[in-house]
Amino acid sequence: MELAKEQIIIAFEQSEKEVSDLHQRTREGIETARKQGKQIGRKKGAKIVTQKSIKAKQDILKFSRDFGGSLSDVDCIRMIGITRNTYYKYKAELKMQ
């Protein structure tokens, strides 16, 4: 029984070391890429356009009172099935156009 506990502890220590090594290799890879002038992550201010966002914006234009529809903001959010923050973000983008 004691031998099994020791083997389990050794196995966990090995797995923790593997995770630590993986984190270190990832950090080194990102740093190497930065030094070579590569873009890490998304560019600041870049907007991602998805099919879901296109559909949601079309629905906002169609149903929201602010754009000639008949539904309130709360009703639009429920009907479209997006979060409140996303709804208002899309609505602001539509008003800017």
Side-chain angles (χ1 to χ4, degrees):
M1 189 70 167
E2 193 65 34
L3 178 64
K5 287 182 182 180
E6 287 179 28
Q7 289 175 339
I8 290 171
I9 291 171
I10 290 170
F12 276 112
E13 288 172 353
Q14 287 174 342
S15 64
E16 286 177 3
K17 183 180 181 325
E18 285 295 321
V19 169
S20 174
D21 291 347
L22 179 61
H23 288 161
Q24 181 64 31
R25 286 194 303 270
T26 302
R27 266 187 251 115
E28 290 171 357
I30 290 172
E31 190 59 35
T32 302
R34 271 199 190 108
K35 287 179 181 176
Q36 294 175 355
K38 305 260 172 136
Q39 172 69 35
I40 305 297
R42 232 184 255 169
K43 290 186 180 180
K44 191 170 186 174
K47 295 206 187 291
I48 302 298
V49 179
T50 62
Q51 293 296 324
K52 185 176 180 180
S53 70
I54 293 169
K55 172 92 171 78
K57 288 178 184 179
Q58 288 172 347
D59 288 344
I60 291 170
L61 285 172
K62 185 175 180 183
F63 297 113
S64 176
R65 281 185 192 152
D66 295 331
F67 299 104
S70 61
L71 296 179
S72 67
D73 288 343
V74 174
D75 293 332
C76 269
I77 291 169
R78 286 186 186 137
M79 190 201 73
I80 296 169
I82 56 177
T83 64
R84 183 176 172 271
N85 287 341
T86 302
Y87 174 78
Y88 287 111
K89 178 177 85 170
Y90 289 165
K91 188 174 169 183
E93 288 175 8
L94 289 168
K95 285 183 178 181
M96 295 284 284
Q97 293 178 352

